[in-house]
Amino acid sequence: MRKFVLLVVTICATGVVLAGSLVALVPSAGELASSVHAQAQEIDLAALDDFAVRSRVYASDGSLLATLHGPENREPVPLSRVPQPVIDAILAVEDANFYRHNGVDFRAIGRALSENVAAGGVEQGGSTITQQLVKNALLRDSSRDLDRKTKEIPLALRLEQQLSKDEILEKYLNAVYFGSGAYGVQAAAETYWGVDVEQLGYAEGALLAALISNPVQYDPIRHPERAYEQRRAALERLVSLGTISQEDATRYGSAPLPVDRCSTGTPRPAGCRDEIELPPPDDYFVENVKQQLLDDPRLGATRDERIERVFGGGLRIYTTLDPRMQFAAELAHAQGVPKNDKGVTAAMVTVENSTGAVRALVGGPGYDSYKYDIATHPPGQPTGSAFKVFTLLTALEQGNQPNDTIGGGGAFKCPGCSKNPYVVSGAGGTLTSVTARSSNGAFVRLAQVLGIPNVVETARKLGVTSELPPVPALTLGPREITPLEMASAVSAIPNSGVRMPPYFIERVEDRDGKVLLEHESAGEQAVSERSACYARDILQEVVKSGTGTRARLSRQPAGGKTGTAEENFDAWFVGFTPYFTTAVWMGNPDQDISMANLGGVANFGGTYPAMLWRAFNEAVHADRPVGTFPPCPKPDRAGRPVVGRGDNALNGVRIGPDGKPIFGTVPGSGTSRSTTTTTTTTPSSSSTSSPPATTSPEPGPPPGNGPPPSTPGPSGG
């Protein structure tokens, strides 16, 4: 009895809806035309394209790095790219009379009424593809009531007057939902088969046609039996229309269904073909690109607007990443970090000296397991002696030269420090020799002679944003700085003192090719060309004969600075060639873990980080011409004790009433230096001569492929 009542109610309700629809739809031709003009003015065709389109991220060589999309994954394609079997199948199921009606199919409406009555409910609506497009793109209303129909039908009739059938079909095929987040036939082809839409035939087209009415219930991965039956029904519909034979339908119906989503990266899921390039999973570089776009007000006044633009605006995002260099970085990272149970990993970033373009980035052990980007996210990691680069540049900026001398360690005043005086050891010598040996004592003295605030100012000019308290230990690198900032800062040295701010994005275009954002070169002369040149020669000595010998390259000139933080918690090598500057950090990013025994050796900046840096740069420079650096200006005087804008007495120099230095004893070196004795020194822009030192450093071995030595490198490295 209940079923009978339900049937009667359904028939009556359906009849009322149909009758109302027919009243609205079947007046005389003149009345219908009048209704169209009254209810549907000229349609803004741009509204039909106002749907989310995924954005694409490209590497510097044009290869695809990533696709960015929200809930809607869509890539519009022209109708000419859609195979006829796909068109045939979708038209057979959704609107067989598409090319014969004028936007509304009254026969289909009648057939829907019959089906609804037989089913005991509203199962079909009789809408044409034109009506579906209007509903989804213009009305955005999925209800099944008379009010929507009275709005939908006039708009469908009007749309048929403004667009051709092929234009309507193309827009529909790019807008319709096929499940699994795939909107449009291209995204569906990628999602279910891992191919471009051109590769689809009748078997695939029939499944897509089946999915349109209920993408969830007929999902081939979750509900293969239902999907199989619906695909078979679509193929039988093609047979009834005479499009394919029964034999063809049987063959297509036996084709295997998709068993996994194919729109993810490597490894490619089983059953997915490899005709198209699928984007890899998100990585550290792509995440940086996304966050920069989401923070850029040029893409929208609010963050919500920017999210909509980035993930649904169809942007084409061209980046600086060099895939070949990225591969070399990942390989060097994988092979250069010894297996350990300490949680020790590495991060590295490479910038192009002349432009600031970020060419390679490894932010940690792997984005899939550790999403925090050690290479770029502040506050960074303690730099150890790598920070001495800023002190060295400050000395050169204040008029000192590579063969000028600085005393060694001792006891230094440290107001407000837990230990006062601050005691540090390390022999003195020339700026070249104390840098090559990475003498802590000499650099603590040097920073105070120059004025520690001046060292901070140099670091700021080179792009360091971290907090840098002006304490004596600052030059030894206790403060955190990111590898990206370190690479960018040091890159000014081989670039004649010009710092090019690091950047990831070359330009961004909208879906129509209009340029929305474009990188503009913004180099600044951070230090003088003279200072940068002298620093470059000094830092090459670090690689030739100092703490960084394991970074020595076979074909390219190279310079850099090692760094090891307190108790071997952090180890660095920041080095440059004529082309690129790369910062390598190694340690445990989550807690302080000593690397005094890592892979059987004590890990300093001059061991594993330098070796990792070398492996990467050997690969990157293998097919590049041997670079050269321009010669530095010859020193205009003989070497002398360093003079600075701080406490010159710490280096045995008094300032006379006329403001000129009066040279005397150099504390810490055990040697008396006077204007008379220093004039006998042979001038040299890269001199490594030094006064007698209190310790004799053990230089590292020449670079090679064997394991690092078991003995630690020189102090401070």
Side-chain angles (χ1 to χ4, degrees):
M1 182 66 181
R2 181 177 298 176
K3 290 184 177 180
F4 176 74
V5 172
L6 178 61
L7 177 61
V8 172
V9 171
T10 300
I11 292 172
C12 292
T14 306
V16 169
V17 171
L18 179 62
S21 299
L22 291 176
V23 169
L25 298 178
V26 196
S28 66
E31 292 173 335
L32 183 58
S34 175
S35 172
V36 171
H37 286 293
Q39 297 187 46
Q41 300 300 319
E42 193 82 7
I43 294 173
D44 179 7
L45 297 179
L48 296 175
D49 296 323
D50 188 22
F51 44 63
V53 176
R54 69 187 180 203
S55 297
R56 288 178 175 265
V57 183
Y58 297 99
S60 60
D61 65 352
S63 60
L64 182 65
L65 283 181
T67 58
L68 310 179
H69 61 81
E72 297 185 23
N73 177 20
R74 179 186 286 108
E75 178 69 15
V77 293
L79 186 63
S80 59
R81 284 186 56 190
V82 183
Q84 194 61 44
V86 174
I87 295 173
D88 289 344
I90 291 176
L91 289 181
V93 173
E94 291 297 309
D95 191 354
N97 294 321
F98 175 71
Y99 281 99
R100 292 190 291 273
H101 61 63
N102 64 348
V104 180
D105 190 344
F106 296 109
R107 290 184 179 180
I109 293 175
R111 185 171 60 251
L113 173 61
S114 175
E115 293 289 339
N116 291 339
V117 171
V122 180
E123 296 292 326
Q124 295 188 18
S127 293
T128 65
I129 278 178
T130 310
Q131 288 174 266
Q132 292 182 52
L133 181 61
V134 165
K135 176 186 70 174
N136 295 330
L138 299 180
L139 298 178
R140 301 183 186 276
D141 184 356
S142 60
S143 63
R144 292 184 174 183
D145 56 28
L146 180 59
D147 181 62
R148 194 207 78 202
K149 286 289 185 183
T150 58
K151 297 176 183 177
E152 175 185 293
I153 291 170
L155 287 170
L157 295 171
R158 166 59 73 181
L159 187 59
E160 292 262 349
Q161 296 175 358
Q162 291 184 235
L163 292 178
S164 69
K165 286 288 188 180
D166 284 352
E167 289 172 326
I168 292 171
L169 182 59
E170 178 181 298
K171 292 183 181 298
Y172 172 80
L173 293 175
N174 284 316
V176 68
Y177 183 49
F178 292 100
S180 300
Y183 286 78
V185 289
Q186 174 64 23
E190 295 171 355
T191 298
Y192 293 112
W193 296 282
V195 299
D196 278 319
V197 67
E198 290 98 329
Q199 304 301 313
L200 304 185
Y202 278 109
E204 296 84 5
L207 178 60
L208 293 184
L211 284 168
I212 293 174
S213 62
N214 199 325
V216 175
Q217 291 299 315
Y218 304 143
D219 184 330
I221 291 93
R222 294 183 177 179
H223 308 293
E225 293 183 359
R226 297 176 192 169
Y228 176 83
E229 288 301 320
Q230 288 301 118
R231 182 180 66 177
R232 185 191 60 77
L235 291 168
E236 289 298 329
R237 179 66 176 155
L238 285 165
V239 172
S240 69
L241 293 172
T243 307
I244 63 174
S245 68
Q246 186 63 58
E247 182 182 359
D248 289 335
T250 301
R251 185 173 74 256
Y252 298 138
S254 64
L257 290 169
V259 296
D260 207 342
R261 323 291 175 188
C262 298
S263 52
T264 56
T266 54
R268 195 177 296 266
C272 299
R273 298 180 230 166
D274 57 2
E275 281 90 342
I276 65 169
E277 177 189 14
L278 295 180
D282 282 355
D283 58 21
Y284 297 109
F285 186 92
V286 171
E287 186 61 28
N288 271 280
V289 169
K290 285 195 289 190
Q291 294 307 317
Q292 288 186 25
L293 293 173
L294 292 175
D295 291 339
D296 197 319
R298 292 174 293 180
L299 294 179
T302 67
R303 188 167 180 85
D304 285 344
E305 289 177 358
R306 296 192 289 272
I307 288 174
E308 183 177 351
R309 195 80 176 271
V310 171
F311 294 100
L315 304 181
R316 297 296 180 261
I317 303 153
Y318 298 91
T319 74
T320 59
L321 188 82
D322 184 318
R324 191 175 67 86
M325 293 180 64
Q326 180 65 22
F327 176 79
E330 293 174 0
L331 182 62
H333 179 274
Q335 297 178 346
V337 180
K339 292 182 179 180
N340 65 92
D341 57 2
K342 299 174 179 288
V344 172
T345 186
M348 58 188 295
V349 60
T350 298
V351 298
E352 191 170 60
N353 301 332
S354 60
T355 65
V358 177
R359 297 302 186 191
L361 171 67
V362 179
Y367 189 78
D368 56 341
S369 61
Y370 193 87
K371 290 182 169 50
Y372 182 82
D373 186 346
I374 306 166
T376 65
H377 286 182
Q381 307 295 328
T383 61
S385 293
F387 191 89
K388 292 173 182 174
V389 170
F390 304 112
T391 307
L392 173 64
L393 283 167
T394 305
L396 298 170
E397 284 285 87
Q398 293 187 16
N400 297 288
Q401 299 179 162
N403 57 342
D404 287 343
T405 55
I406 184 70
F412 302 95
K413 294 179 181 179
C414 188
C417 297
S418 59
K419 294 182 179 180
N420 191 6
Y422 176 64
V423 180
V424 61
S425 62
T430 66
L431 288 179
T432 297
S433 67
V434 299
T435 303
R437 291 197 311 266
S438 197
S439 171
N440 287 343
F443 268 88
V444 169
R445 185 178 300 277
L446 177 62
Q448 294 186 77
V449 170
L450 303 171
I452 297 174
N454 296 320
V455 175
V456 173
E457 182 183 0
T458 298
R460 295 285 184 241
K461 288 179 179 179
L462 289 163
V464 175
T465 60
S466 304
E467 182 183 359
L468 301 174
V471 296
L474 178 67
T475 190
L476 304 184
R479 307 304 300 183
E480 297 90 351
I481 303 177
T482 68
L484 179 61
E485 284 193 353
M486 286 299 293
S488 175
V490 172
S491 71
I493 294 174
N495 198 39
S496 301
V498 177
R499 175 183 174 265
M500 307 297 292
Y503 71 101
F504 291 76
I505 301 170
E506 292 286 1
R507 73 181 186 281
V508 177
E509 300 175 357
D510 66 14
R511 67 176 73 177
D512 298 319
K514 178 183 177 183
V515 177
L516 302 177
L517 309 175
E518 190 162 20
H519 175 74
E520 296 181 2
S521 178
E524 297 180 355
Q525 192 76 45
V527 296
S528 70
E529 184 175 354
R530 169 189 175 277
S531 297
C533 195
Y534 285 155
R536 185 199 70 209
D537 281 2
I538 291 172
L539 293 174
Q540 286 186 83
E541 290 299 323
V542 173
V543 173
K544 291 176 182 177
S545 60
T547 59
T549 55
R550 294 176 183 85
R552 194 184 306 158
L553 299 178
S554 59
R555 295 179 61 250
Q556 297 285 350
K561 186 69 190 75
T562 55
T564 307
E566 186 177 4
E567 298 186 51
N568 290 62
F569 291 153
D570 303 87
W572 291 72
F573 187 80
V574 186
F576 57 82
T577 70
Y579 298 99
F580 306 106
T581 298
T582 301
V584 176
W585 167 88
M586 190 174 290
N588 184 311
D590 300 317
Q591 57 184 314
D592 290 337
I593 297 291
S594 175
M595 294 182 288
N597 183 3
L598 185 68
V601 302
N603 185 37
F604 296 90
T607 48
Y608 287 116
M611 295 167 68
L612 195 160
W613 186 94
R614 176 181 181 269
F616 166 71
N617 279 280
E618 287 285 19
V620 165
H621 292 83
D623 57 355
R624 295 181 185 275
V626 176
T628 58
F629 290 120
C632 296
K634 293 182 179 180
D636 54 8
R637 56 173 173 75
R640 69 183 189 192
V642 167
V643 177
R645 298 172 189 166
D647 188 354
N648 284 282
L650 285 172
N651 202 36
V653 178
R654 291 179 294 116
I655 303 299
D658 58 357
K660 295 182 178 180
I662 301 173
F663 300 100
T665 301
V666 182
S669 66
T671 306
S672 176
R673 303 264 175 213
S674 67
T675 54
T676 302
T677 57
T678 56
T679 56
T680 62
T681 305
T682 302
S684 171
S685 64
S686 59
S687 170
T688 57
S689 62
S690 61
T694 57
T695 59
S696 178
E698 179 183 352
N705 296 322
S710 58
T711 55
S715 64

